[in-house]
Amino acid sequence: MRLEPRHSKSGAPRARRLRLVGAVCAVAASAALVTGCGEDSGKAESAATSEAAKTVPEGEATPSPSGSASLTQDQTERKALLADTKITYDKAAATAVDKVSGSKLTDLDLKSANDVKEDQSDDDDAMSASPSPSSTSDGPQWVAEVAEKDGTSHTVRIDAVSGKVISSAPEGDRDADDKKETADWLSRVKQTPEQAAKTAMDKTEGTVTSVGLDDNDSGSLVWSVDVVSKDWNKTDFEVDAVKGNITHQHVDRD
């Protein structure tokens, strides 16, 4: 029988020691790698934080969504205009009619300060009017048109905050045919602008920003009434000026 040499057995413990040393080295290398990655990650996060600090200055809050972010430009303008307005349409209408004896309201519009400035730059009446001391107001205005029985029309501007008359002047660009048409309309109207506005508001709750006498496509006389609701949309109504019923309505959601 052949025996294995003695040195072949004595080599086994050494091999185990080598493997053990190799394992220890591998663990150490892994630990060093993890430590290195952690340091690199920390450096990257620190750099990102530093860059963010440069982008957003200290003490400056990041913007947060606001309730007005969902409103359109027109809705935002309506909201701001009505927030500045203190005089309701019916009070403005009564003031305008009282300013011109024997007149009736034919048109009334709530206008912002910017719209008023644009109107006045092209309005010859503003040059000939006799403004009151409140004419320096730079707030919103009710711009009314009232007509006498013969059809002579006047423009009356009313401060929408104080309710004072800013100016009143006859319209100088109306000829005999215009006056005749206005006089004819006034003789046929059965519904007052206040009644037409109430009819519109019974349909849509809100604030009246415009009411005006007009004729529709079929030739019928109607009161055009604009009502701004709580969601700041505007609904345009056509109310029959004789019968008092709503003949048309349209919601402007812009």
Side-chain angles (χ1 to χ4, degrees):
M1 182 177 67
R2 185 178 177 185
L3 299 175
E4 293 291 341
R6 291 179 64 89
H7 68 273
S8 62
K9 294 180 180 180
S10 63
R14 182 174 181 275
R16 285 196 295 271
R17 287 196 299 272
L18 290 174
R19 286 196 294 271
L20 179 60
V21 172
V24 172
C25 292
V27 170
S30 298
L33 180 60
V34 170
T35 302
C37 291
E39 291 175 355
D40 291 344
S41 176
K43 291 178 180 180
E45 291 178 359
S46 178
T49 302
S50 178
E51 287 302 317
K54 294 178 182 179
T55 304
V56 182
E58 183 179 357
E60 181 177 334
T62 55
S64 59
S66 62
S68 61
S70 60
L71 299 179
T72 66
Q73 181 177 348
D74 287 346
Q75 289 170 338
T76 301
E77 290 176 355
R78 291 176 197 133
K79 182 178 180 180
L81 176 59
L82 291 180
D84 292 339
T85 300
K86 306 302 179 186
I87 303 301
T88 58
Y89 86 95
D90 51 339
K91 291 182 178 179
T95 299
V97 170
D98 287 344
K99 185 63 179 179
V100 180
S101 179
S103 67
K104 291 184 178 180
L105 184 76
T106 58
D107 193 78
L108 181 66
D109 289 300
L110 178 61
K111 297 194 175 186
S112 66
N114 288 335
D115 289 338
V116 169
K117 290 177 181 178
E118 291 179 3
D119 287 349
Q120 289 179 336
S121 65
D122 300 323
D123 191 356
D124 292 337
D125 292 340
M127 300 297 294
S128 60
S130 299
S132 66
S134 62
S135 63
T136 57
S137 171
D138 57 358
Q141 293 182 14
W142 285 104
V143 181
E145 289 184 8
V146 296
E148 300 178 61
K149 190 174 181 179
D150 65 355
T152 300
S153 294
H154 302 254
T155 298
V156 182
R157 295 181 178 273
I158 301 163
D159 190 307
V161 178
S162 67
K164 295 180 179 180
V165 174
I166 296 173
S167 64
S168 176
E171 294 186 355
D173 59 349
R174 293 174 59 81
D175 57 22
D177 290 336
D178 292 332
K179 292 182 179 181
K180 182 179 180 180
E181 181 182 56
T182 300
D184 176 62
W185 283 6
L186 291 177
S187 68
R188 293 162 52 194
V189 168
K190 303 299 182 183
Q191 296 289 313
T192 66
E194 290 80 9
Q195 288 173 323
K198 183 179 183 305
T199 298
M201 287 191 292
D202 285 345
K203 187 71 173 179
T204 298
E205 184 179 357
T207 303
V208 173
T209 59
S210 177
V211 55
L213 188 61
D214 202 354
D215 57 348
N216 59 17
D217 294 336
S218 63
S220 299
L221 280 180
V222 294
W223 285 106
S224 296
V225 183
D226 290 348
V227 178
V228 175
S229 49
K230 293 181 180 180
D231 56 7
W232 309 115
N233 290 325
K234 182 181 72 172
T235 304
D236 304 323
F237 290 94
E238 287 186 0
V239 180
D240 192 297
V242 177
K243 300 177 182 178
N245 60 300
I246 296 174
T247 60
H248 178 76
Q249 72 180 76
H250 171 72
V251 180
D252 182 357
R253 302 185 187 279
D254 291 338

